[in-house]
Amino acid sequence: MNLSQRQKDIIRETLSLMAEKGLGAVTMKEIAKRFHVTDAALYKHFKGKKEILSGVAALFEEDAKKALQAVTGIAHPVRAIRAFFVNRCDSFAETPALALVLFNQELLNDDSFAAQQKNMMELHRNAIHSLIKKGQDQGVIRPEIAMEHLFTMIMGGLRLMVHQWKMKKYSFDLSREGRAFWDSIEALINPGYEKS
């Protein structure tokens, strides 16, 4: 999904509105009002709320691609995975409404949204698998743990932590907790782990 700057602005503002009112309470009329435009003007940019929500996922995927690209320059694979993990925690912490959209069960029942999420997960899986393999080859990630299991521990753990944060109404510092959680993961997967 190629988004114009105006569409990205609308998506970000919609996320702010969702953080205030909740996903279900936000309508196209309210979004248009927030932008001081008519409903018709808003519909020139998006066919409806569902398309805006797909835009949220597209923006998150774009951000994930940038984060993955940034970590490719980190030579140590465990540090690279950590940098990506922390980046994802920080993204959710900066924009809590992302969790409302990306982990919404009703949206995940929509085929096009689910396909978008699946593509994002494959992007994450391929990049993390590559780093895990590199780490196992270098002896800094335990080779006896299957790559897919390590991926599930890392990204599944992140997803669960964000879900708990959302369920607890964002009452804990996700960025700090994410870093502490990563230390625990690293202690399990890195045979030479020493807490810094």
Side-chain angles (χ1 to χ4, degrees):
M1 175 181 244
N2 290 329
L3 299 167
S4 69
Q5 187 56 51
R6 182 70 169 158
Q7 286 175 311
K8 290 178 183 179
D9 293 342
I10 292 167
I11 290 166
R12 287 186 184 99
E13 196 59 39
T14 301
L15 282 169
S16 294
L17 198 54
M18 287 176 186
E20 292 168 23
K21 297 183 176 226
L23 178 65
V26 175
T27 64
M28 291 295 280
K29 187 174 276 312
E30 286 180 327
I31 296 167
K33 184 178 175 182
R34 185 77 160 240
F35 267 87
H36 308 289
V37 298
T38 64
D39 294 4
L42 182 61
Y43 280 101
K44 287 180 184 176
H45 297 286
F46 292 100
K47 293 176 187 166
K49 183 177 169 182
K50 187 174 162 184
E51 190 172 2
I52 293 175
L53 298 176
S54 284
V56 168
L59 268 183
F60 188 74
E61 183 176 358
E62 184 180 300
D63 187 47
K65 284 178 182 176
K66 287 177 187 172
L68 286 168
Q69 205 167 30
V71 303
T72 59
I74 300 173
H76 194 285
V78 174
R79 289 189 189 118
I81 298 169
R82 180 193 188 280
F84 180 71
F85 185 90
V86 165
N87 174 277
R88 300 295 75 202
C89 288
D90 291 346
S91 290
F92 281 111
E94 290 167 14
T95 313
L98 277 174
L100 292 174
V101 176
L102 296 177
F103 300 153
N104 183 286
Q105 193 56 49
E106 189 177 323
L107 290 173
L108 290 172
N109 290 333
D110 176 80
D111 289 342
S112 64
F113 191 82
Q116 210 175 1
Q117 292 285 73
K118 184 179 179 215
N119 289 340
M120 193 179 341
M121 184 171 47
E122 287 303 314
L123 172 76
H124 293 169
R125 175 180 280 115
N126 293 338
I128 300 298
H129 273 203
S130 174
L131 290 168
I132 290 169
K133 170 103 175 75
K134 185 177 175 185
Q136 288 176 327
D137 291 347
Q138 291 177 6
V140 294
I141 295 179
R142 295 182 187 282
E144 64 272 18
I145 305 174
M147 269 195 285
E148 187 59 26
H149 295 167
L150 287 170
F151 173 77
T152 301
M153 285 170 51
I154 294 164
M155 297 309 290
L158 172 64
R159 186 178 180 95
L160 178 60
M161 186 173 49
V162 171
H163 184 70
Q164 289 172 332
W165 176 66
K166 182 180 86 162
M167 297 301 290
K168 292 181 178 180
K169 304 212 184 299
Y170 318 108
S171 64
F172 61 88
D173 184 334
L174 182 63
S175 292
R176 188 178 71 232
E177 192 61 31
R179 285 162 174 78
F181 186 73
W182 175 260
D183 287 343
S184 296
I185 290 173
E186 189 172 346
L188 294 170
I189 68 171
N190 183 349
Y193 173 76
E194 291 181 25
K195 190 169 181 168
S196 49

